[in-house]
Amino acid sequence: MIKINVINTGKQPLPQYATPQSAGMDLRANIDESVTLQPLERHLFPTGLRISLPEGYEAQVRPRSGLALKHGITVLNSPGTIDADYRGEVGVVLVNVSNEPFTVEPGERIAQMVIARHEQAEFVVVEELDATERGEGGYGHSGTR
């Protein structure tokens, strides 16, 4: 388990894992009053959290499946990436893709954050790529069954 330095300027508890094998920690809306998202409306919700990730790690902000299924609420830039050198407040951009207004209450769990290792890459320009069985088969090339 890695240690992540955090400053909590908000009123909400620190993110935590709901179960021992959860991949994501719940992020909460650090707001003073309810915010209603109309259909197709988006809003940046503060979390009150500032984090310092170790080099080679990122934090991914992802939707909560229950909000997505039951209410059509999702993270607009999913997954949102928090880079290891970012020191500003973690925010969550929610969008309402349902036909009904949805109200976010103060302290509500609105997204989840997954901490992940990553690599940086360098592109090497070549004249030809190695051949594979799939080749250029793209979207839907393998069918649905």
Side-chain angles (χ1 to χ4, degrees), residues 16-84:
Q16 55 188 332
Y17 295 102
T19 68
Q21 294 186 26
S22 293
M25 296 176 267
D26 287 329
L27 295 174
R28 295 176 181 270
N30 187 50
I31 53 179
D32 293 323
E33 54 190 44
S34 302
V35 174
T36 299
L37 290 173
Q38 298 300 321
L40 300 180
E41 185 179 7
R42 62 188 178 271
H43 185 83
L44 176 62
F45 288 90
T47 63
L49 303 172
R50 295 158 134 1
I51 60 175
S52 175
L53 294 166
E55 186 175 336
Y57 284 85
E58 67 166 322
Q60 300 172 0
V61 178
R62 300 179 182 185
R64 293 194 68 233
S65 56
L67 285 179
L69 175 64
K70 297 174 185 173
H71 304 287
I73 303 300
T74 190
V75 175
L76 186 59
N77 59 323
S78 182
T81 297
I82 302 164
D83 295 310

Side-chain angles (χ1 to χ4, degrees), residues 93-135:
V93 181
L94 290 184
V95 63
N96 181 354
V97 295
S98 78
N99 295 322
E100 301 291 328
F102 179 79
T103 301
V104 176
E105 301 295 341
E108 186 166 350
R109 295 178 299 153
I110 56 171
Q112 57 182 327
M113 182 170 61
V114 174
I115 307 300
R117 284 185 177 271
H118 71 82
E119 298 288 333
Q120 287 192 332
E122 178 182 345
F123 285 105
V124 178
V125 178
V126 297
E127 296 296 321
E128 190 173 303
L129 299 177
D130 58 313
T132 65
E133 185 176 324
R134 178 178 179 173

